Amino acid sequence: MGVGLSHSLCRLGKIAGCIHRGKLSMNTVLKSGTAMVLALTLAGQTSAQTMLTELGEGEGQVNIVAWPGYLERGETDKSFDWITDFEEKTGCKVAIKNANTSDEMVALMNEGGFDLVTASGDASLRMVAGKRVQPINIDLIPSWSTVDERLKEAPWHFVDGTHYGVPYMWGPNVLMYSTEVFDEAPTSWDVVFKPMDLPDGQPNEGRVQAYDGPIHIADAANYLMHNQPDLGITSPYELNEDQYAAALDLLRGQRKLVGRYWHDAFIQIDDFKNEGMAASGTWPFQVNLLKGGGAPVASTIPVEGATGWADSTMMHSEAENPNCSYMWMEHSLASNLQSDLSVWFGANPAVPTACTDGRGMQTAEGCTTNGMDDFERVKFWTTPVSTCESQGTCVPYYRWVSDYIGVIGGR
Amino acid sequence: MSSSVDTQARGFLTSLSDTLWRKPGLLVFLLILPPALWLGIIYLGSLFALLAQSFFSIDEFTGIIQYELTFKTYAELFRPSNFDIIIRTVVMSAAVTIAAAIIGFPVAYYAARYARGKWKALFYLGVMMPLWSSYLVKVYSWKLILAKEGILNWLFETLHLGWLLNAYLSIPIIGGNSLSVSATGTFLVFLYVWLPFMILPVQAALERVPQSMLEASGDLGAHPAQTFRHVLLPLALPGVIAGSIFTFSLTLGDYIIPQIVGSSRRFIGQAVYAYQGTAGNIPLAAAFAVVPILLMAVYLWIAKRQGAFDAL
Amino acid sequence: MTSAIGFSGVSRHYGDVKAVDNLNLDIAEGEFFAMLGPSGSGKTTSLRLIAGFERPTAGEIRIFGQVAQGIPPYKRNVNTVFQDYALFPHLNVRDNVAYGLMIAGTPKRQRQKSADEALGMVALGGYGDRKPSELSGGQRQRVALARALVNKPKALLLDEPLGALDLKLREQMQEELKTLQRSLGITFIFVTHDQGEALSMADRVAVFNNGQIVQIGAPEDIYYRPKTPFVADFVGSSNVLPPEFMNGLVGKSSYGAVRPEAVRLAEQGQSALVRSVSFLGAATRVTMDIGNVPMTMLMPKGAAVPKAGETVTVDWAAEDLHVMAPA
């Protein structure tokens, strides 16, 4: 489970940090006059970029930058192996470089020497903008057709009609609750946002947790989007000053309810065991582990929906092993990877049939637990930028970072 | 022939050692060159690289570091949310240091003045043992001890003193829902983890105070409290200062403990970690990292002005 | 003369070790009193008992008539000059000297004035701003003296105060201490292992051995009329004559002592075999054996000196032979 821990740690890393750069750079560009030219140049370059049209012999190797736990060859746990098979079949040796944050991923890709990266929503757009990744020819990936329809043209890898990535794995941030406190699943996120008495008659103050990263502002915005429609929020990642202020106010109220914000998945697990926690936003990962340990918890996605994350496999613009890379992308969709990884990390496969066709350990129930059916209710996070689609001007991510630190500090 | 070569070789070594003997400065120079290089280039060099970073700034839109000298990043430290972090960290470090001195001094005094033989060995064992176990293990065990369903809470309940603990925890700022999520909890764990770093230097300083010095003070009419105030404390002060440098700077820089135990309110170490790691804002992280250095410099300067090093 | 310090039946035992054993002693006010003995003889412990750093395991100590039992050092009207001086390294010389006055609550200006006066008295005027570490051994010794004296104690305890000084400085300080004691008129109790120092300075000397006083008296008494062979040997290296020898000499079975300088070559007397001859400058020391009794003779400069291996005849004046009480 150590792998799970490090992955959870990195996930918080990528949420907290990495959003910062990608889209922001485009902003600057669009804002300033001279930038228009630059933008055109960028566009020109993008289209000029070559795309592989035909698959050749494998080069014997493929170098992948990945989140810890995303690439398992049975060394952590014998039953979780989705590499050995690939290497035997294709003769492409897989060299893994783990990265703990999206920033690290971007930095490694900037350095070069890698073929593939399992990029999250923020990093993916940054790398597209920075021309670090090349367009993907989906015709060379036979299993593309099996990819979840909902992910095929997701905005975090499908830019201007071009595919830059192959969906890898996604998951929602669910509401975990103690079944000793709640007789039935809470229907609203208000149990973690508003002071109230919980079904066991005790106040929720000190018994709820929230995520210790600026992206949690989006969870507040998601709550307001549903409960205060007059604010006019259309995306929790695109907030104008008023909407943003309302979200921060909500979070300031939440500060009074939260004893400690959760940062590390295992500390949260411990808190649910030893601190009498009643409810918190969390990942399916913790829910699975706690349930596995016999703790009285369950999870739900309340009426407001939830935020979530989605990762894609992307290919370096100067990849030295393009053939093995394409073979890996095909493998990532066609093999037991989708099924077993979704069990391993408590996430959802990008190929829906992986839930049911018995290629791995995942089952339909498992996918349901991990939130497979709630895709429409998940707002996958993207980088908050100042020029936003929905309303022109939004509060950018760097302010989310400093303001959230202030909120936790009681400001 | 061979004997002449031999003589020549010996002649060279002899003349080398003769030269070094005649010029002791050269020998010293050769001896300190490697450590000086290490200290100068690797050690201080990396520090200056860090300092240099803090005078750059990050472009808010592109997130790219702009390599132009500016104080903009330092100005950001004075934003209320950042300044809170500095104040919080300093107050915590000061509280931990003072408490460590108050608790550590008698322990060190006992060890230095009374403990002999196996008791002394036991003392060293007791003080050092916490240092042998993993830091993380200690912090996690403290999390369990301080938890709402932990030993300490149970103890209070068993003694029918639960109301006392609850009354304490209801105090704003230092309180919380349980000790483990309160600033008090963070304080206790800091104190536990850094206490040996206070005790050992104080004990060393106390052992260097001759018994006759204390007797002389008593002989001149000072009762024990006065002897402590006017002789023992000033003479042990370099040890206390050395210990406080450890406890203060270790608390200033730590980012693990407040993450595991406490109210999630940030400390400088966490800010540095967050800004350099996940936010990629190296300049602001560097500026935050400069804060403890400046604080320690000011602290040492004040300590020197107060005569803390006069007895060295 | 009133009693300054009185010991009656005082013992200080550490387990089986009897550091001080059943000590009885009276030191008069204004007296310059020396406690002389080899190391481990109990003299320093006795001094520390007076200062209050040690507590007696039996007996009673009176300080100026007051029973000292239960009175801590800081309430005793005596001050000590320590063997290592124990100057406070963090204070300058003036503050060191003014320490006792500061503790007593004397206003700053006044105590600094007193401290400067005391420093003047020990010829260290103008050294007030220095740190102890900047002074020589002799200067530190005098600072320690000034620090004790500025409190105007009724008795001053000095624990081997000149031990760390070189010979010349020691002789000079002996003079100065003596003069100081005379002019101040306070009781000095002085611990030393150097019999020359004790004899030259003290009004009275107590010779310690194995935790007990073996002889107490004026320097001349101690020197010329040792009561025991130990005193005879320790104070001035007298020739100790065993009872059997004395029996043959004076017909009395007790120890005798004759000082080396009293022994001379003679026509008639004891036949002695010269073992060695050492030139000492002002005199020559000849060691020899009379039968099996070792004997040392100091010969003045210019006298004809026998050679090792020679047999000579020695004698001494009857009044130079000190006969001790029967053993």
Side-chain angles (χ1 to χ4, degrees):
Chain A
M1 283 289 93
V3 171
L5 170 61
S6 38
H7 194 179
S8 344
L9 281 171
C10 66
R11 192 154 290 287
L12 84 99
K14 68 182 162 178
I15 295 172
C18 320
I19 295 178
H20 212 117
R21 294 174 184 169
K23 282 194 174 172
L24 298 179
S25 60
M26 288 166 72
N27 261 336
T28 335
V29 164
L30 294 174
K31 264 198 167 177
S32 60
T34 50
M36 214 52 202
V37 186
L38 201 62
L40 288 171
T41 325
L42 279 177
Q45 278 180 352
T46 306
S47 55
Q49 224 158 13
T50 49
M51 189 165 74
L52 212 64
T53 50
E54 203 175 329
L55 213 55
E57 280 290 301
E59 294 87 351
Q61 184 165 354
V62 59
N63 305 309
I64 311 181
V65 178
W67 293 109
Y70 260 19
L71 296 179
E72 291 289 316
R73 52 165 89 245
E75 282 168 351
T76 318
D77 185 325
K78 269 211 310 291
S79 21
F80 292 93
D81 177 3
W82 41 87
I83 291 181
T84 313
D85 187 39
F86 170 75
E87 289 178 337
E88 281 167 5
K89 212 166 55 191
T90 64
C92 299
K93 293 296 279 180
V94 178
I96 305 163
K97 174 70 187 173
N98 280 336
N100 285 313
T101 66
S102 281
D103 287 317
E104 251 182 88
M105 281 189 173
V106 175
L108 286 169
M109 290 298 277
N110 284 346
E111 273 173 33
F114 296 97
D115 301 306
L116 296 172
V117 59
T118 61
S120 299
D122 57 336
S124 62
L125 289 179
R126 284 158 66 184
M127 288 188 284
V128 171
K131 302 182 297 301
R132 285 297 156 200
V133 291
Q134 56 173 286
I136 303 288
N137 186 348
I138 55 169
D139 297 337
L140 298 179
I141 303 168
S143 298
W144 177 265
S145 58
T146 64
V147 169
D148 199 324
E149 286 301 326
R150 306 170 295 188
L151 291 169
K152 274 183 176 166
E153 296 190 347
W156 48 90
H157 61 80
F158 185 70
V159 181
D160 296 334
T162 311
H163 289 282
Y164 284 94
V166 175
Y168 195 70
M169 200 61 42
W170 65 274
N173 300 318
V174 297
L175 174 63
M176 174 160 68
Y177 58 94
S178 161
T179 50
E180 284 175 348
V181 175
F182 292 91
D183 302 326
E184 50 193 54
T187 54
S188 166
W189 284 100
D190 60 5
V191 294
V192 296
F193 282 120
K194 299 279 183 184
M196 63 169 67
D197 285 345
L198 298 180
D200 66 353
Q202 300 293 317
N204 62 349
E205 190 183 332
R207 296 201 293 159
V208 296
Q209 288 191 328
Y211 183 62
D212 188 0
I215 203 68
H216 186 58
I217 294 174
D219 287 294
N222 183 49
Y223 173 82
L224 292 174
M225 190 169 147
H226 187 273
N227 293 303
Q228 283 187 47
D230 50 309
L231 284 169
I233 299 174
T234 53
S235 158
Y237 306 97
E238 299 182 354
L239 306 175
N240 64 27
E241 289 293 344
D242 291 342
Q243 296 159 348
Y244 182 72
L248 287 187
D249 272 344
L250 182 66
L251 293 168
R252 287 188 190 105
Q254 187 190 41
R255 167 75 258 197
K256 298 186 180 70
L257 307 177
V258 174
R260 174 166 52 230
Y261 289 73
W262 74 271
H263 195 92
D264 175 313
F266 278 80
I267 292 181
Q268 187 182 37
I269 288 171
D270 186 66
D271 284 342
F272 266 78
K273 285 180 187 160
N274 292 307
E275 292 282 353
M277 283 301 143
S280 173
T282 190
W283 304 320
F285 177 73
Q286 285 99 300
V287 181
N288 289 342
L289 268 180
L290 275 165
K291 274 184 174 170
V297 297
S299 67
T300 180
I301 293 180
V303 64
E304 295 92 350
T307 57
W309 42 270
D311 297 344
S312 334
T313 310
M314 306 181 100
M315 188 170 162
H316 199 280
S317 47
E318 286 146 24
E320 284 167 19
N321 307 301
N323 295 322
C324 275
S325 298
Y326 269 93
M327 289 176 198
W328 172 262
M329 287 190 276
E330 165 63 16
H331 175 79
S332 75
L333 299 176
S335 69
N336 64 321
L337 183 153
Q338 287 289 326
S339 177
D340 286 345
L341 176 55
S342 73
V343 173
W344 181 241
F345 192 69
N348 291 303
V351 177
T353 49
C355 291
T356 50
D357 61 9
R359 63 170 84 178
M361 286 175 263
Q362 192 56 283
T363 60
E365 295 77 48
C367 278
T368 306
T369 309
N370 292 351
M372 190 69 184
D373 306 331
D374 297 302
F375 186 90
E376 301 306 332
R377 304 172 60 206
V378 175
K379 283 98 178 172
F380 291 99
W381 49 262
T382 52
T383 311
V385 292
S386 47
T387 308
C388 48
E389 273 178 41
S390 60
Q391 45 194 350
T393 308
C394 295
V395 178
Y397 185 68
Y398 73 89
R399 279 185 52 200
W400 289 40
V401 176
S402 51
D403 287 337
Y404 195 61
I405 288 177
V407 166
I408 290 185
R411 287 220 171 241
Chain B
M1 274 313 280
S2 72
S3 83
S4 103
V5 169
D6 192 38
T7 318
Q8 273 177 1
R10 201 180 297 153
F12 171 72
L13 287 177
T14 311
S15 69
L16 179 68
S17 53
D18 286 356
T19 309
L20 291 180
W21 183 82
R22 275 189 223 103
K23 296 180 177 167
L26 183 65
L27 179 64
V28 170
F29 174 77
L30 288 176
L31 281 176
I32 64 165
L33 191 60
L37 285 178
W38 166 262
L39 192 72
I41 295 173
I42 313 275
Y43 206 74
L44 292 177
S46 59
L47 192 66
F48 282 118
L50 172 84
L51 287 182
Q53 287 285 345
S54 66
F55 290 102
F56 300 142
S57 65
I58 192 162
D59 186 291
E60 282 165 358
F61 294 109
T62 58
I64 290 166
I65 295 166
Q66 295 176 320
Y67 296 99
E68 286 165 28
L69 293 184
T70 171
F71 284 100
K72 191 174 143 228
T73 308
Y74 280 101
E76 276 190 53
L77 289 181
F78 291 95
R79 238 189 243 164
S81 60
N82 287 340
F83 199 64
D84 275 357
I85 293 173
I86 295 172
I87 295 297
R88 182 179 304 127
T89 312
V90 170
V91 168
M92 177 62 79
S93 303
V96 168
T97 301
I98 291 167
I102 291 172
I103 295 175
F105 202 98
V107 177
Y109 184 80
Y110 172 80
R113 295 255 153 232
Y114 295 104
R116 291 284 173 272
K118 76 170 180 209
W119 287 108
K120 192 127 183 164
L122 206 65
F123 160 82
Y124 276 113
L125 202 67
V127 172
M128 304 289 279
M129 206 151 59
L131 295 179
W132 299 345
S133 63
S134 156
Y135 166 88
L136 270 180
V137 169
K138 285 183 284 182
V139 178
Y140 275 102
S141 358
W142 269 96
K143 181 178 185 296
L144 292 180
I145 292 170
L146 297 171
K148 203 173 194 69
E149 284 152 40
I151 300 164
L152 216 56
N153 205 47
W154 172 83
L155 199 69
F156 272 96
E157 292 299 336
T158 311
L159 296 172
H160 301 289
L161 288 171
W163 57 272
L164 190 67
L165 185 62
N166 288 334
Y168 178 81
L169 287 176
S170 65
I171 303 171
I173 301 172
I174 57 170
N177 299 107
S178 78
L179 277 173
S180 139
V181 296
S182 66
T184 307
T186 321
F187 167 79
L188 288 175
V189 180
F190 269 133
L191 182 57
Y192 168 82
V193 172
W194 304 140
L195 190 58
F197 294 93
M198 176 63 86
I199 292 177
L200 292 176
V202 173
Q203 189 231 359
L206 284 173
E207 284 202 335
R208 282 184 11 203
V209 178
Q211 180 67 27
S212 64
M213 216 74 88
L214 307 183
E215 286 177 350
S217 173
D219 187 73
L220 293 166
H223 54 69
Q226 289 171 316
T227 299
F228 176 82
R229 162 76 186 79
H230 294 294
V231 178
L232 194 60
L233 194 60
L235 290 179
L237 205 56
V240 177
I241 297 291
S244 69
I245 290 168
F246 285 126
T247 55
F248 196 77
S249 58
L250 287 169
T251 312
L252 275 184
D254 190 87
Y255 65 98
I256 305 280
I257 291 171
Q259 191 179 307
I260 298 174
V261 176
S263 64
S264 290
R265 291 185 172 85
R266 296 288 193 280
F267 286 83
I268 287 178
Q270 288 172 291
V272 172
Y273 180 74
Y275 281 119
Q276 65 84 28
T278 58
N281 194 344
I282 301 280
L284 187 53
F288 258 113
V290 168
V291 172
I293 297 173
L294 282 182
L295 285 171
M296 288 312 296
V298 170
Y299 178 69
L300 291 178
W301 179 71
I302 292 172
K304 181 159 167 41
R305 291 258 315 212
Q306 297 293 317
F309 305 114
D310 291 0
L312 277 180
Chain C
M1 271 211 299
T2 50
S3 163
I5 309 291
F7 279 60
S8 46
V10 173
S11 293
R12 179 70 177 95
H13 295 178
Y14 302 94
D16 289 342
V17 181
K18 298 172 176 177
V20 170
D21 193 27
N22 193 22
L23 199 69
N24 292 291
L25 176 65
D26 258 304
I27 299 169
E29 209 173 325
E31 197 172 17
F32 198 133
F33 190 87
M35 293 176 166
L36 175 67
S39 56
S41 62
K43 56 190 193 305
T44 295
T45 307
S46 301
L47 195 77
R48 292 171 60 79
L49 284 165
I50 301 171
F53 305 139
E54 306 274 351
R55 290 175 205 196
T57 42
E60 188 181 83
I61 297 173
R62 273 163 287 107
I63 300 174
F64 296 97
Q66 193 184 12
V67 176
Q69 183 69 33
I71 300 176
Y74 52 90
K75 287 188 181 157
R76 298 189 181 196
N77 200 3
V78 295
N79 285 113
T80 308
V81 175
F82 289 82
Q83 186 171 7
D84 62 357
Y85 315 139
L87 298 181
F88 305 126
H90 58 295
L91 302 178
N92 65 23
V93 166
R94 181 180 298 107
D95 289 342
N96 258 286
V97 175
Y99 186 85
L101 298 174
M102 176 197 71
I103 295 295
T106 312
K108 186 165 188 179
R109 191 178 291 259
Q110 197 180 328
R111 69 176 186 248
Q112 292 197 333
K113 190 162 158 277
S114 304
D116 284 336
E117 282 169 11
L119 282 169
M121 190 169 66
V122 294
L124 281 178
Y127 283 76
D129 292 321
R130 303 209 186 170
K131 280 288 174 72
S133 57
E134 295 166 330
L135 302 183
S136 71
Q139 289 169 330
R140 286 183 213 186
Q141 205 282 328
R142 285 183 284 178
V143 174
L145 201 59
R147 183 176 70 173
L149 289 174
V150 78
N151 303 297
K152 303 201 181 350
K154 292 175 88 174
L156 185 68
L157 313 178
L158 303 104
D159 185 7
E160 303 263 9
L162 310 180
L165 306 182
D166 61 45
L167 181 66
K168 204 162 171 222
L169 204 53
R170 195 156 68 219
E171 285 171 349
Q172 182 195 335
M173 283 304 298
Q174 285 173 5
E175 284 302 312
E176 288 181 16
L177 273 179
K178 189 73 195 155
T179 314
L180 202 60
Q181 195 263 342
R182 292 270 147 73
S183 63
L184 294 171
I186 60 177
T187 313
F188 272 36
I189 301 169
F190 186 98
V191 161
T192 181
H193 66 273
D194 180 333
Q195 82 284 359
E197 203 166 277
L199 297 180
S200 69
M201 295 168 76
D203 298 325
R204 257 191 329 149
V205 177
V207 183
F208 280 72
N209 192 29
N210 292 328
Q212 292 178 314
I213 293 178
V214 286
Q215 185 169 0
I216 188 162
E220 299 78 26
D221 272 351
I222 304 278
Y223 192 76
Y224 290 114
R225 287 173 289 282
K227 276 187 184 156
T228 71
F230 170 79
V231 177
D233 181 48
F234 187 75
V235 184
S237 334
S238 279
N239 293 301
V240 177
L241 308 175
E244 311 84 65
F245 187 85
M246 288 296 287
N247 205 10
L249 212 60
V250 293
K252 205 174 161 193
S253 192
S254 58
Y255 278 99
V258 60
R259 307 211 49 80
E261 63 269 27
V263 182
R264 54 186 160 78
L265 292 172
E267 297 290 311
Q268 285 191 321
Q270 307 291 325
S271 174
L273 176 67
V274 177
R275 283 194 291 127
S276 67
V277 178
S278 350
F279 176 64
L280 300 180
T284 302
R285 184 175 63 209
V286 181
T287 59
M288 49 204 165
D289 292 322
I290 303 172
N292 57 357
V293 178
M295 175 72 65
T296 304
M297 170 171 67
L298 271 185
M299 301 186 71
K301 199 169 146 189
V305 177
K307 290 195 173 61
E310 271 183 61
T311 304
V312 294
T313 308
V314 294
D315 201 2
W316 46 81
E319 66 267 25
D320 286 333
L321 176 65
H322 170 63
V323 183
M324 299 179 206

